[in-house]
Amino acid sequence: MRAAVVNAFGGGFDIEDIDIADPLGREVLVDVKASGLCHSDLHFAQNDFGMAPPMVLGHEVSGVVAAIGPDVTEFAVGDHVVGSLVQFCGACDECLSGRTVRCLRPEATLRAAGEPPRLSRRGEPVLAAMGTAGFAERALIHENQLVRIDPAVPFPEASVLGCGTITGAGAAIHAAGVTAGDTVAVIGLGGVGLNVVSGARLVGAARIIGIDLNDEKLELARAFGATDWVNAGEGDVVARVRELTGGGVDHAFEVIGRRQTVEQAIAMLRVGGTASLIGIHPAGGTFEVDANTLLREQKKVNGVYMGSSNIKRDIPFYASLFLQGRLDLSDLIASEIALDDINSAYAALHSGKTARTVITRF
Ligand code: NAD
Ligand code: ZN
Ligand code: ZN
């Protein structure tokens, strides 16, 4: 099958023919219909985050079940599904408490050492990264990392549910716990940040300030529910947010992964506010915070992973909100492309000009 293979960090994606195994145990073979270009995959393709080439990335996957392993109970051939990089065992203390995103045995959804690899090239293993490996015609995914959804949700919109939406909306609703009447700032309005705006709107935030360097993104944020917007390239962002809110926001979300914008997020909080950090930093990235200001002003810094989501509960929930017309997913989709165009599409994402680009031709 055709797949976008990363052969070296920083070397881009090579479109190649590789082999995919038949499903074992609880694995599901998915005929991939849409695969979103999250910024995280660009980080993983350029830097060593513990996943080594040759590898197939891609973790915003939607498609149709083509075959199931002998122990699969939850899915049948023909089901429409969404995949997620959240790996969970279903049996540890965290999973049993419903916090599957904190699973203590996430490797349970991968093949064990000694089993044949899911992906290979001329007999050599190719890493099926994150257990999803969605930048390919087909994907072999453990049933815990899959969710069945209503076939009425189009595949491109469904793919974004797998990361951008659960991460962004989940950050506001679950990880930060924004509540009705809160003031919110979102720094970085890409595929994830726009979903933070949606989450804040859903729970009734009073003000939602969108912050980005691109005016097109600020305009888009308005459609998603931002009530105010600030171009970060024009003047002092922190001073502007403080001025708009009369002293700072209850919640600031950093959705880029830069030291400067993390420090801005903490600085723009009002007393007692929470800065939620979503953006991924280069390995070893750090930031500074004045310790006495933090304690005197009772600020909280909140590390957010996948919006603290429970994918089996949250993906169908967001899908139903979309079908009811209460959650915009369609305006996230900037364009649908062919697998062959993945390198140029990632170059455009890097420039900050597009929200989500989705591969729909393989
Ligand atoms: P994206 O590239 O689509 O969006 C980033 C946005 O930030 C762009 O709109 C860009 O214009 C804007 N931006 C860049 N520099 C800025 C600045 N100085 N001030 C204001 N705006 C600026 O990326 P995305 O796919 O939305 O992902 C966002 C981040 O979230 C990435 O780092 C990604 O890896 C990370 N992520 C984290 C998790 C998690 O679980 N924590 C999950 C998914 C994605
Ligand atoms: Zn992602
Ligand atoms: Zn577990």
Side-chain angles (χ1 to χ4, degrees):
M1 66 165 183
R2 277 158 53 80
V5 181
V6 173
N7 283 300
F9 291 122
F13 297 85
D14 301 316
I15 308 304
E16 298 182 29
D17 243 313
I18 64 169
D19 297 310
I20 186 162
D22 292 329
L24 293 177
R26 296 177 65 198
E27 291 173 346
V28 175
L29 183 67
V30 178
D31 186 7
V32 180
K33 298 293 185 190
S35 201
L37 270 55
C38 178
H39 204 123
S40 299
D41 285 311
L42 189 58
H43 293 303
F44 304 150
Q46 291 179 331
N47 306 283
D48 188 351
F49 280 89
M51 293 178 260
M55 61 183 169
V56 176
L57 297 167
H59 62 272
E60 274 188 355
V61 195
S62 67
V64 178
V65 173
I68 56 172
D71 302 327
V72 169
T73 56
E74 213 181 317
F75 299 95
V77 171
D79 283 349
H80 287 213
V81 289
V82 172
S84 166
L85 63 71
V86 178
Q87 299 171 216
F88 69 91
C89 73
C92 72
D93 291 350
E94 294 289 353
C95 284
L96 292 176
S97 305
R99 295 183 294 262
T100 49
V101 75
R102 295 187 190 169
C103 176
L104 304 173
R105 292 198 312 112
E107 69 283 358
T109 64
L110 305 179
R111 286 194 176 182
E115 288 185 310
R118 285 180 182 164
L119 301 178
S120 58
R121 181 175 59 187
R122 294 180 293 279
E124 293 300 320
V126 172
L127 177 68
M130 297 161 281
T132 48
F135 293 152
E137 280 180 86
R138 284 183 291 284
L140 198 49
I141 303 175
H142 189 283
E143 63 178 334
N144 282 4
Q145 288 186 250
L146 283 175
V147 179
R148 186 172 42 247
I149 55 150
D150 190 325
V153 182
F155 290 114
E157 281 84 345
S159 69
V160 181
L161 290 172
C163 178
T165 301
I166 58 167
T167 298
I173 300 170
H174 300 298
V178 175
T179 52
D182 285 351
T183 50
V184 172
V186 183
I187 314 175
L189 299 167
V192 180
L194 289 168
N195 277 293
V196 178
V197 173
S198 287
R201 195 201 69 242
L202 279 167
V203 295
R207 301 276 292 271
I208 306 172
I209 305 169
I211 303 168
D212 203 287
L213 293 167
N214 282 291
D215 285 331
E216 301 87 348
K217 290 291 184 57
L218 298 174
E219 198 58 47
L220 200 51
R222 197 166 156 176
F224 280 79
T227 59
D228 303 84
W229 35 95
V230 174
N231 188 315
E234 298 167 5
D236 182 339
V237 179
V238 174
R240 182 74 188 118
V241 170
R242 288 189 167 281
E243 183 187 304
L244 280 169
T245 53
V249 287
D250 297 303
H251 288 277
F253 293 86
E254 200 278 353
V255 207
I256 306 161
R258 289 169 52 95
R259 176 185 181 136
Q260 182 201 22
T261 40
V262 166
E263 291 173 0
Q264 286 172 348
I266 298 168
M268 67 176 62
L269 296 174
R270 59 175 291 164
V271 173
T274 301
S276 292
L277 311 187
I278 301 173
I280 294 180
H281 293 247
T286 58
F287 59 89
E288 261 183 35
V289 53
D290 180 82
N292 289 332
T293 307
L294 195 78
L295 63 91
R296 194 176 55 245
E297 299 188 0
Q298 302 152 63
K299 293 178 173 180
K300 291 177 275 299
V301 179
N302 186 23
V304 179
Y305 183 64
M306 300 307 291
S308 299
S309 301
N310 178 327
I311 62 167
K312 300 278 186 183
R313 173 196 65 191
D314 294 337
I315 289 177
F317 168 59
Y318 295 124
S320 69
L321 290 181
F322 166 74
L323 291 173
Q324 294 163 8
R326 296 163 66 200
L327 175 67
D328 187 359
L329 298 175
S330 302
D331 289 320
L332 294 169
I333 317 292
S335 56
E336 295 181 29
I337 61 161
L339 186 65
D340 294 292
D341 300 325
I342 187 170
N343 289 302
S344 54
Y346 261 126
L349 181 72
H350 195 61
S351 75
K353 294 243 181 320
T354 55
R356 265 300 182 267
T357 299
V358 179
I359 300 165
T360 51
R361 299 187 298 281
F362 292 86

